[in-house]
Amino acid sequence: MKYLISIGVNNVEGLIPLEAAVSGAKDFAEWGKSQNYETFLFTDENTVVTSAAIFKQINAIVKRGDCEKLILFFAGHGLLRGTRQEVLLLSDAKENSNESINLLGSIEAARLCGIPYLVFISDACRMLPSEIQFTGNGSIIFPNGEDVDVDCALDVLYATRPGNPAYEQSGDSNLKKFGLFTETLLEILRGDYPELIISNAIPSEQLSKYYDVDKLSEDNSYKTFLDGNWQVSTISSESSIKTIVNNKARSISIAIKQNPEITIQHQTNKPGLSEFDDPTAKKLLLKNSTIIKKKKPSEYVILDCVQEIIQNYTVDDFEKYTSFKSILQDANEKNSIDFYQTKSNLVSNSELIYDSNVLQDSQISTGFTIIGVEIKDVFANCKFEIYTEKSRTHIKIKNFKASETILLVLKNGHSIPLAILKDFIGIVIFKKNSLLTVNYTPSINSYKYKSFKKQESEINFVRSFVASAANEGFDYGKTFEKEIDDYFVNHYYGNPGSFLRQEKSLDPSLSLYASYAYIQAGKYKDIKSIFDHMQRSDLIFDVVMLAGQIDKIKRLTPFCPMISLGWAYSNKFNHTLRPEVLEASKTLIPSLWTTFDTSGTEILKEIFNEKK
């Protein structure tokens, strides 16, 4: 069985009403029915849309145990609470933050529900909250599952990139508006682009190449396809979705850009989203043959490697070129420049990291070195000393108990909680007043110090990679493609998590980063492996939480996730937090690392002012 949940919310109090979310959800539901999906529609056309109603329906589907493919479509308002922390707003989101969808948390819950193929589609803005105050994490709309043995293919299609809006446009009659992303998806899924229709048995076989349009128009039976049916898949349409949406945005105004972000799990024998039998496919080919003749497929199926260059062209730029081929050639040249610019990000971060050697002192077994920012205050429930040398702040931790937290208060009053790890010096590197990365180096007194010095160059390279990945929102897949020979990584390590965890015993922060890389790939057993290894020492909160062991372990540091992305999984750990931390979590500011604003800092001081 295959199912479709289609959600459309036009109105959220405090935000400008939308005009196309409801109609887009209804259109998507109609497409689902035409493709024999069991379809469930939720819109605010006549009533409010609630997280409880959506959860109830999804839970019922999961309990049936027959779901092989599930698509969740959302059109409406969305926002970012931080890196990769997408929140989709439902009708009463302003008054009750639970009346919203925690997208990342829902995706991870869905992975464990035993559904072989999941597709999440979000036609929503991905802006930081500004018009309304939003302090919650949103609701998880999938039930708690434990089925990690079912291989789950996951595709996530966002209408736009982080920090950007998703646009609506009026149709020819101006009577109905539509979302650019939703309209593009429906056009492709309905078969309006025959060159994107491929065989479900032979992916290399394209409908538009298999049949000659002129011959087919003269004799519909001149040829038939015997190897299964035809389909539209995420893999066949990925590049086209990006290009067509951006072209539609440009048709509104040359100054408008909308660049979808699509995460596709490539695998063989992956099911399609739309399926057509051979007679239907022939009709689609004939119906859209004029489009094919008018615009060759290559003109809107642009390679990903040059798409970003082309989409930045202006009208004047296009007038310089006589053919599409000349545009591609020029874009390739520009892309090589862009490639080396991307490489320079790694080089720039490397300079900071390779130059971040801590002041090794035989009197310091545990502590921190802070680089690139002025520290206003420090809080910890243990004794410590602070001193400055060569524009770097050093913190010597004394007589601390296991699982302690240090709270760094910056000059602007914001605060960052960090793990205190025995016999390690935490290297905290800021770049342009933002926390770039945190690494842990064995102290000179540690038995691990000699091993670290032998592998320091390799470890610093991995650290540089992590810092570069931070700029991609911890999307390690993208960073591997841009920064490192993908063949090398896949050949020797298999996936980003395996690469990052290589030296985890010499720098525990690599376990932290690897855990987030694994959960992005749905590799829960690998996270558990990291957790098992770390049980020999202090346990970082994020690793324990991602491994699903939060209720079993009390020895955690710090007192909440260090990386802000961890708050997207708050349903796993909120019940374990102190009241002060829960209250302070309402003040989190958008940042790669957990960062509380000034009011949150004042709340957290209560924890550190307690007498031991």
Side-chain angles (χ1 to χ4, degrees), residues 348-378:
S348 173
N349 293 332
S350 298
E351 290 173 353
L352 285 172
I353 291 169
Y354 277 77
D355 189 40
S356 63
N357 294 327
V358 300
L359 177 65
Q360 291 292 355
D361 186 331
S362 60
Q363 300 300 313
I364 302 178
S365 295
T366 304
F368 292 88
T369 293
I370 295 96
I371 302 169
V373 77
E374 182 178 339
I375 299 298
K376 178 181 179 181
D377 210 343
V378 174

Side-chain angles (χ1 to χ4, degrees), residues 30-43:
E30 288 302 311
W31 163 79
K33 292 175 183 177
S34 73
Q35 284 288 318
N36 298 315
Y37 286 81
E38 187 166 346
T39 301
F40 302 93
L41 177 65
F42 298 87
T43 75

Side-chain angles (χ1 to χ4, degrees), residues 305-359:
C305 63
V306 298
Q307 179 189 346
E308 293 185 13
I309 305 299
I310 293 176
Q311 68 195 14
N312 291 325
Y313 284 167
T314 66
V315 173
D316 291 338
D317 290 326
F318 277 105
E319 290 178 352
K320 299 176 184 177
Y321 302 99
T322 57
S323 68
F324 182 76
K325 183 178 179 181
S326 65
I327 295 176
L328 278 179
Q329 289 174 341
D330 184 70
N332 272 306
E333 293 175 4
K334 290 186 177 181
N335 188 66
S336 64
I337 297 172
D338 182 65
F339 174 79
Y340 288 111
Q341 180 62 42
T342 302
K343 288 281 187 181
S344 72
N345 290 333
L346 185 58
V347 173
S348 173
N349 293 332
S350 298
E351 290 173 353
L352 285 172
I353 291 169
Y354 277 77
D355 189 40
S356 63
N357 294 327
V358 300
L359 177 65

